[in-house]
Amino acid sequence: TETTNKQNFEMLQQSIEDEIKFGNKDMGEAKKGLAGSGEAKATAEGELESTSKDLAADTEAKGELHQACMTKAEDFEAETKSRGEELKAIAEAKKVIQEMTGGAESVEYGSASFLQVAA
């Protein structure tokens, strides 16, 4: 039985050594994976910070562009209204001039000539 016990002990020892060996191997791989994950996380955080800055700049630019667009739209509306008022004033002036001249364009002045004969 002593030989059997010794043999059982050696098998148990070999089994435990194998478990330790594979455990150490697994732990090494896990540490490598953890290091890789840490590096990927740092890279992702850097990209996030850069993207966040870009987003903030783009949002600010969008706001400025919107403000400029609204200003241009208001200016265009004011100019259009002003043009309409100018056209209305011109039409009124044309009407007054036609009433004041009273059909002078249709009047014929006979054989009047404005040719200068002598100086």
Side-chain angles (χ1 to χ4, degrees), residues 38-56:
E39 186 177 319
K41 179 185 174 196
T43 301
E45 286 175 345
E47 290 175 357
L48 175 63
E49 183 178 345
S50 175
T51 302
S52 295
K53 286 179 183 178
D54 290 346
L55 176 62

Side-chain angles (χ1 to χ4, degrees), residues 20-113:
I20 290 172
K21 179 178 148 185
F22 291 123
N24 286 338
K25 181 182 175 191
D26 289 344
M27 185 171 70
E29 290 174 1
K31 285 182 180 180
K32 285 181 186 177
L34 181 61
S37 295
E39 186 177 319
K41 179 185 174 196
T43 301
E45 286 175 345
E47 290 175 357
L48 175 63
E49 183 178 345
S50 175
T51 302
S52 295
K53 286 179 183 178
D54 290 346
L55 176 62
D58 289 346
T59 301
E60 183 179 346
K62 178 186 171 229
E64 291 171 0
L65 184 61
H66 178 73
Q67 184 63 36
C69 183
M70 292 303 293
T71 301
K72 295 285 185 182
E74 290 170 3
D75 291 348
F76 177 76
E77 187 176 329
E79 290 170 3
T80 302
K81 183 178 178 184
S82 176
R83 278 191 211 104
E85 291 170 357
E86 288 172 2
L87 289 174
K88 185 177 176 182
I90 290 171
E92 185 66 31
K94 183 178 175 183
K95 180 179 173 187
V96 169
I97 290 171
Q98 286 176 344
E99 289 173 359
M100 297 290 282
T101 57
E105 74 275 357
S106 63
V107 175
E108 292 186 25
Y109 294 99
S111 61
S113 176

Side-chain angles (χ1 to χ4, degrees), residues 113-119:
S113 176
F114 296 106
L115 179 63
Q116 184 173 355
V117 181

